[in-house]
Structure formats: structure tokens, C-alpha cells
Amino acid sequence: MRSLRAAQSLASRSRLLSARALHGATAASYPAAAAAGGSRWGNPHPPPPSPTPSSRALQGGIAGAVSFSLTFATVAAAEVQAKERLPADLLPQNVVLYQYQACPFCNKVRAFLDYHDIPYKVVEVNPLSKKEIKWSEYKKVPILTVDGENLVDSSDIINKLQRKISPDVESTGEEETKWRRWVDEHLVHVLSPNIYRTTSEALESFDYIANNGNFSFTERFAVKYAGAAAMYFVSKKLKKKYNITDERASLYDAANTWTEALNGRNFLGGAKPNLADLAVFGVLRPIRYLRSGKDMVEHTQIGEWYQRMEDAVGEPSRIEEGRE
């Protein structure tokens, strides 16, 4: 609703500004009439003089501006409504996501929640102590609580949420299922060796985590430097485990594999994203504006699809602390 109101406000402002511009142009085109109308002694309703060629051109230009402005506002409103919003009776309530900010699996869940405009709160988990999830037997993230029910494993979480919000849809298509599996079994394994490829890149990733979690100064320091160091060495093990010789080349290959699968479509889902689109977008979102993500967009064709996904998913539906 907040995005729709923003679009409506944009359209209203465009109409108002265009009307003011047209009024100003008309007054400027007929200075004698404006002067007579404002005079105490003159005829209050003098016949307007014939418009000059320049005034006709000015009016035509303003009319064009009005038309463009209204068209732009209409298109903007349509783009803002790209999200898949749910009927109130299907909207999950009391949703809390326990996550690491840079975790691809957590971002996959967030992409689903954002796209469907499901409000959710976030608890940033300390990756060293994990004190925020001590209450849970499951010690990995993401963990999503929905109306008191604990959901774990990103793909499982999305499957269960999808059944809740689309009870009439029995199953996903074969192509969609294939590429969702590709995300979990291949794409995510390419990411860590790229995110933590060098010590500086590892620190770049952990800098955001340290600055956005609800951590003390000591915890922030430990999370950033100890976490980055740990993940740097973990990424080297993952690189060996998955037979990755060149981190960037493997990332570029994965991005190109995905764009080839689109086969000229805006999304794998066609006119709008499906669960595979959301999964790929979700796991790439934490790296997009890191060095690795910038390199990926520069050296592959994935950038246009990614931008379409950003527009479709829209603003996060996360509930910020202190706001309900």
C-alpha cells in the first residue's frame, strides 16, 4: 500500500505542476489581458487578443509537457505496483527472520518476503556467539518464525510460505524446480570463494554485518575481524571442495548460465518473476554492490535482468525497530 500511495502522490504532483505551468504560460502569452483584468478601472472582461505564433508554440510545448508528465506518472505507478501483494486473509502475521546480513540463504528468504510485501522483523545473529538463537535447537540461519511456528532451511521456508499464500497452486513447474535446485547446489557454492577471495574483500563483507547488528563495540570488532579471517580460510576450503580454480571465472560462468536460461525472457517466469528468479536474485543480492558483484555485472550480461528484479521486488517490507 505504501508504494501505491507513493505512485498516486507522484501522479497528483505531476498533474498539479503541469497545470501550474500551463496557467503561467497562458498568462505570459496574454499580457494585455492580464493587465486589464488586474486593473481597477479597466474592463474586467476584455476580449483576449489573438495568440501570436510564439504563444501558440509555447502552449503546444506546455501541452506536450502535460501529456509527458501524466504518461510518466502512469508508467511509474504501474512499475511501483509490480510487487505481488497478498489478500489480507493470506498475509502471514508476526514474521521474524533470524539472519546474517551477508548470508545468501537468508537473502533468498528476504527476497520472497519483499516481493510479496510480507512485513517482517529482523534479528541479526552474531556469527561468533549465536546468542540470538540459543533458544533454538537448529543452530543455522535463516530461521523464520511465523505466528509462533519455527521454519528452517531457506528452500523449505519458501515452500511452506508459498503453500500458505497460494493454497490453490499444487506445485511449481519442472523448469522452475530445476533452477531452484541449481541455485542451492551450484550458485551458492560459487559465492563464498568470491566474497572472501582476499582479506580486503572479506573485511568489506563483514563491515556491514558489524555495523548493522545489535552488537556491543567489542562484539563489532570481533565480528568484523575474527569473522572475516575465519571466512577467508573457509572460502579456501570451499574453493578446493568444489573444484574452483578461478573464483571470478566461476562466478561469471554461473551468471552467464542463468542469463542463457532466460532465453530472451524478462524473467524465467515470463512476464513476472517465479520462485527461481527470486532465488537467484536473493543469493546475489548480498554481493551485488561488493567488489565481486560489481565485477560480475561488468563482465557478464546479468545486469539488465538484475535491474528488472530490483524494480519488481521493490522496497524491503522489513519492519524497522521502533516502527510497527
Side-chain angles (χ1 to χ4, degrees), residues 1-13 76-77 80:
M1 287 303 293
R2 63 184 183 279
S3 298
L4 181 57
R5 284 196 296 269
Q8 291 169 337
S9 174
L10 173 61
S12 298
R13 288 197 301 272
V80 168

Side-chain angles (χ1 to χ4, degrees), residues 58-320:
L58 180 58
Q59 291 177 66
I62 295 298
V66 172
S67 175
F68 173 81
S69 179
L70 293 178
T71 301
F72 171 79
T74 302
V75 171
E79 290 178 347
V80 168
Q81 296 181 63
K83 278 194 174 190
E84 286 285 307
R85 290 186 172 82
L86 303 174
D89 59 324
L90 293 177
L91 193 67
Q93 303 295 320
N94 302 318
V95 180
V96 180
L97 175 64
Y98 294 82
Q99 66 154 29
Y100 303 147
Q101 180 66 28
C103 165
F105 297 109
C106 300
N107 276 274
K108 187 167 63 162
V109 173
R110 287 175 54 197
F112 182 92
L113 296 172
D114 291 338
Y115 180 62
H116 291 286
D117 213 23
I118 300 172
Y120 61 97
K121 295 181 180 179
V122 166
V123 176
E124 192 68 29
V125 176
N126 185 317
L128 301 180
S129 67
K130 298 185 180 181
K131 63 181 181 179
E132 293 80 6
I133 56 174
K134 281 186 176 179
W135 53 269
S136 172
E137 293 182 4
Y138 186 81
K139 297 302 180 185
K140 298 179 181 180
V141 291
I143 299 174
L144 191 76
T145 63
V146 183
D147 294 325
E149 179 184 2
N150 298 331
L151 307 179
V152 299
D153 183 275
S154 61
S155 292
D156 226 25
I157 290 170
I158 290 169
N159 289 339
K160 290 177 179 177
L161 286 175
Q162 182 71 7
R163 286 195 291 269
K164 283 178 179 287
I165 66 176
S166 302
D168 298 330
V169 178
E170 293 185 3
S171 61
T172 59
E174 183 177 333
E175 183 185 43
E176 186 176 10
T177 300
K178 168 190 170 182
W179 287 103
R180 288 183 68 194
R181 189 180 304 117
W182 174 80
V183 171
D184 291 342
E185 296 178 357
H186 178 72
L187 182 57
V188 292
H189 300 311
V190 170
L191 299 182
S192 289
N194 276 278
I195 298 173
Y196 311 111
R197 183 179 63 153
T198 64
T199 53
S200 62
E201 286 179 284
L203 286 169
E204 178 189 29
S205 176
F206 270 84
D207 189 54
Y208 186 90
I209 299 173
N211 290 332
N212 287 269
N214 187 26
F215 307 139
S216 67
F217 175 80
T218 303
E219 288 174 322
R220 289 176 193 275
F221 186 88
V223 164
K224 179 175 180 177
Y225 291 98
M231 287 308 302
Y232 171 78
F233 289 107
V234 167
S235 71
K236 301 309 174 188
K237 292 182 179 180
L238 292 174
K239 180 181 175 180
K240 184 177 180 180
K241 178 179 180 181
Y242 295 107
N243 299 314
I244 297 172
T245 54
D246 184 319
E247 299 95 336
R248 286 296 194 265
S250 66
L251 179 61
Y252 301 160
D253 286 345
N256 288 328
T257 296
W258 173 249
T259 53
E260 288 170 10
L262 296 175
N263 195 26
R265 294 170 288 183
N266 282 343
F267 306 105
L268 193 78
K272 62 182 182 179
N274 62 16
L275 294 180
D277 286 291
L278 290 171
V280 176
F281 174 73
V283 301
L284 291 180
R285 189 152 64 167
I287 78 163
R288 170 60 185 92
Y289 298 102
L290 299 178
R291 194 181 313 169
S292 54
K294 292 175 182 177
D295 288 348
M296 175 188 69
V297 170
E298 182 181 348
H299 292 92
T300 73
Q301 301 299 313
I302 202 169
E304 291 184 6
W305 169 84
Y306 190 93
Q307 184 60 58
R308 288 194 294 270
M309 284 299 301
E310 276 196 331
D311 294 339
V313 172
E315 292 296 316
S317 51
R318 171 178 176 172
I319 301 170
E320 299 293 342

